[in-house]
Amino acid sequence: MTLANDLQAFQQQFRSNVPQETQNVMQQATTDLGDSGILKQTLKVGDTIPDFTLPNATGQPVSIKELLTKGPVAIAFYRGGWCPYCNLELQALQNALASIEETGATLVAISPETPDNSLTTQEKNELAFPVLSDVDNQVARQFGLVFKLPASLLPIYQSFGIDVAAHNGNDHFELPIPATYVIQPNGEIVYAFTDVDYTKRAEPSVIVDALKGL
């Protein structure tokens, strides 16, 4: 099974359980996000990533510069542990962790959740790689990934029991679009995946192939 298969299976289950009117609102929000041109502003292959330090799930600072001194780094930006598609992605990355580390690379995941909520995500998915907390999306913004949830989605998310403000520790309702990057030690991006559709994610095998290509 690929990650794409798992994502599609969940999406089919979701569609069978959620009213079509709700699905239409959600799909329109994705379409509008694509039309906003956000993908034009994201960092791409050949760009150099910004220098940053973020706390991990236990509050310890993690420096991207230090990680890059050890070898390549794969970075996965995700929305939060409340997002089932994100959890499927994180689990798939965990399953591929040995293959990623065999290339000499480090894997990190980044979300706008608070460290406490990142710790919950890490424990729930039994993740053995760092989950970093990018409160206020300061780093994701430098990658050009940040958007604000439209007002039309807020009551829908609430009806699903999702409290984005509580997870993120603020009421900005800003999230990163899903994005995955492979960075070589000089900070240059050699692989980039970005998509306004949160049901789409980079396949771990493709990440491994990009790392092997280095």
Side-chain angles (χ1 to χ4, degrees):
M1 287 285 284
T2 64
L3 174 56
N5 291 146
D6 292 340
L7 294 169
Q8 289 167 3
F10 180 84
Q11 190 174 29
Q12 289 172 354
Q13 179 185 16
F14 176 83
R15 286 173 173 167
S16 65
N17 292 321
V18 174
Q20 188 60 49
E21 183 179 353
T22 299
Q23 294 183 49
N24 291 344
V25 173
M26 298 177 77
Q27 181 56 52
Q28 187 59 52
T30 300
T31 300
D32 291 345
L33 182 56
D35 291 343
S36 73
I38 187 172
L39 291 177
K40 295 178 182 176
Q41 70 185 31
T42 60
L43 293 188
K44 297 172 176 62
V45 171
D47 290 336
T48 300
I49 67 165
D51 182 27
F52 64 86
T53 299
L54 290 173
N56 64 16
T58 57
Q60 301 302 308
V62 175
S63 161
I64 190 67
K65 185 178 289 185
E66 283 187 25
L67 293 181
L68 288 170
T69 63
K70 304 171 186 175
V73 176
I75 302 174
F77 287 90
Y78 69 101
R79 291 145 50 94
W82 50 267
C83 169
Y85 298 94
C86 296
N87 288 315
L88 288 171
E89 177 189 22
L90 293 171
Q91 291 159 16
L93 288 170
Q94 175 60 40
N95 291 338
L97 183 60
S99 297
I100 290 171
E101 291 181 339
E102 280 172 10
T103 69
T106 302
L107 170 66
V108 298
I110 299 175
S111 87
E113 293 190 302
T114 63
D116 279 351
N117 285 307
S118 294
L119 182 60
T120 299
T121 300
Q122 188 161 32
E123 291 175 341
K124 177 175 66 176
N125 293 297
E126 299 180 342
L127 305 178
F129 55 87
V131 178
L132 308 184
S133 179
D134 182 23
V135 174
D136 295 335
N137 285 290
Q138 293 183 23
V139 173
R141 205 178 308 280
Q142 294 179 72
F143 278 76
L145 305 173
V146 181
F147 72 100
K148 185 167 185 174
L149 278 174
S152 61
L153 288 185
L154 299 185
I156 291 175
Y157 278 33
Q158 288 170 354
S159 74
F160 293 157
I162 298 169
D163 189 341
V164 175
H167 279 271
N168 291 0
N170 61 50
D171 58 0
H172 302 164
F173 296 104
E174 290 181 332
L175 298 174
I177 61 172
T180 302
Y181 293 96
V182 171
I183 321 296
Q184 57 183 2
N186 66 359
E188 182 185 345
I189 297 170
V190 294
Y191 168 80
F193 170 95
T194 53
D195 202 313
V196 295
D197 184 349
Y198 58 84
T199 70
K200 307 283 176 61
R201 305 297 165 111
E203 199 65 48
S205 61
V206 177
I207 300 169
V208 173
D209 286 344
L211 288 165
K212 288 179 177 177
L214 295 176

